[in-house]
Structure formats: C-alpha cells, structure tokens
Amino acid sequence: MPTMGAQAEEYQTLHMDEVLSSEAEKSTTLTDEEAQPNLEEVEKIIGYSFTNKVLLKEAFTHSSFLSTERSASSYERLEYVGDAVLNLLFSREQYNLYPDLPPGRLTRLRAANVDTEKLARVAIKHGLHRYLRHKKPFLEEQIREFTRAISHYPLHSNGLIDAPKNLADIVESTIGAVFMDCNSIDTVWEAFKDLLEPIINPGTIKTHPVTQLYEICQKNNLKLRFVNLWEESHTVEVFINNEIVGRGTYSLKKEVAQNRAAKDALDNIWKVLGEEKENAQDQDQEANCQSGELPEMKNLNV
C-alpha cells in the first residue's frame, strides 16, 4: 500500500506532467508578427519593470535572429553578466543559510542550482522560452523533447537528459538585464528567488552517477572501465571486473550516453557486489551525504 509521501509525490509528478505537456504544445518559434517580444508579459513573469526596455529586448534575442534585425544585439553579453550575478547571489545566500557547510559542499550545491538543466527548467516552468527570438530550425523540437523528459525527473536528472543551452542562456541574460537596469543584486534576488524554485538544498542534492559509480568501485576495490562506442553506435558501456554491467545510448551528446551508462551500472552493480539491495542503498545514501569537493571527473575516452 503506497505511503502518504508516495501518494503526494505521485500527485506532484502527475500535476507536473500536465503543466509541462501544456507548455510543450506552445510554439517556441516567433512569427514575423510576433518577432517583437511582449515586454509587458515578460515583466509580469519576472515581477520587474524595466527602465531601459532595450535591455529586455536584447535578453531575448539569439544571435541567429540578428540577420533579420541588424540594429539589435544578441543576449550573449547579458548572459555573461547574468552568469556572474547568479553565482554571486547563490554564494551569498548559501553562505548565510548553511554556516556549517565547508567550501567544497557549498560549491557543489551552487553548481547544482545554476547548471544548464536547472536553469532550462526555470525557462520552461515560467514560459520564458516563448519570448525568445531566434532562427534555429531544430530548437523548437529540442525544447519539446526536453519538456517531455523532465516530467520524469521532478527536481533534476543529474545528467541523464539533454537540456537545450539556449533555455538556460535566456534565464541568465534576463538576470543580467535586470542587474544592468537596476545595478542592485538585492533587487535581482527579489525578482528571481521565487522563479528559481525549487532550489536544491543539502537534503535534496544528489551525487552525479559517474562520480557515485567511481566512489562505490573505489570503496569496494572493483575495477571500473568505460568503453566508448559512441562514434560507432552512440553508445557507452560500463565494465566492472571485466563484466558488462551498464550501457547508455544517446545520439546527440556523448556525455549524456556516459551518464546513462553509469546510472545503468549503478542499477546493476548490486549483482557484482553480491549484497542485499537494502545494504547497498545504504552506501548510496552515504555517497550522497559525503562532505568535501567532488572528485575530479575522469576522461572516459578509451
């Protein structure tokens, strides 16, 4: 019989499926008539009214669109500013919220909240992608695929799905635009702190599957090997003690295939360890709660 927590999680996931499916049906490509974003709608979403409206227009203009509007600038410079501001905001917020966390864990926590997938989720959740001016032929389908994929991972997939970078870019460029307009990081935080929810915290952050796999193998003295078949079949395989235990496939990005292979290996590693699944899950939780910086990601090419 499902617990109350399981029922609540199932309801939340089903509700998110409905919301994200609705967003996925909306076009992400602006017609010529819609080429000028509705600035008032964007300002309502972020809860901030611009003094310099040109900044907001620039924040939603991709470089591919500039051939049709030569007087405009792309969002790249504002993205650069927004990236720096966002990292500073999370550094300050986490420093105050978690006085006992060491720098390594603070760095990992900040990275989880500002990475491409997390920010791309923000863009989808609040419909910011609908205002992006671009001429990228495949971006619309990539956004739809991403929207469908995140419905299976309510908080974060930890590298198992491919997030369109352009979605994260416009969140950062919008943050940069607000900062350049008001010159106040406090005002930026007030505008975006709710939009960035759910914020990943020490209780919800998960270890990356590749890192977790290395940690478990090292702890149990197991020989781990990744076999790169991506050029031939878009596949990466994982061998432990010369036995295949995981396989991941993704045609657009090798890193996603590697992450999926690692996750598949984690699901099967208990057979290699010869342990009860409950005992092995204790190691999983211990790996997620370890303090200090993440081990350096190894080159998986062979």
Side-chain angles (χ1 to χ4, degrees), residues 99-151:
D100 297 326
L101 279 187
R105 292 189 66 187
L106 287 172
T107 298
R108 180 171 165 237
L109 192 60
R110 180 185 63 195
N113 280 290
V114 302
D115 71 8
T116 298
E117 181 182 329
K118 186 65 173 66
L119 296 183
R121 286 169 175 264
V122 172
I124 293 295
K125 180 179 179 180
H126 299 286
L128 295 177
H129 60 292
R130 294 183 287 119
Y131 303 93
L132 175 61
R133 305 191 303 170
H134 70 91
K135 295 292 183 180
K136 298 188 70 175
F138 302 111
L139 180 57
E140 183 172 351
E141 181 54 37
Q142 290 171 352
I143 291 175
R144 286 176 176 161
E145 180 182 342
F146 175 69
T147 304
R148 290 190 294 266
I150 61 177
S151 66

Side-chain angles (χ1 to χ4, degrees), residues 286-301:
E286 180 181 343
N288 278 328
C289 296
Q290 284 183 347
S291 61
E293 297 184 10
L294 284 173
E296 181 181 355
M297 299 292 286
K298 299 184 179 180
N299 186 351
L300 304 184
N301 295 329

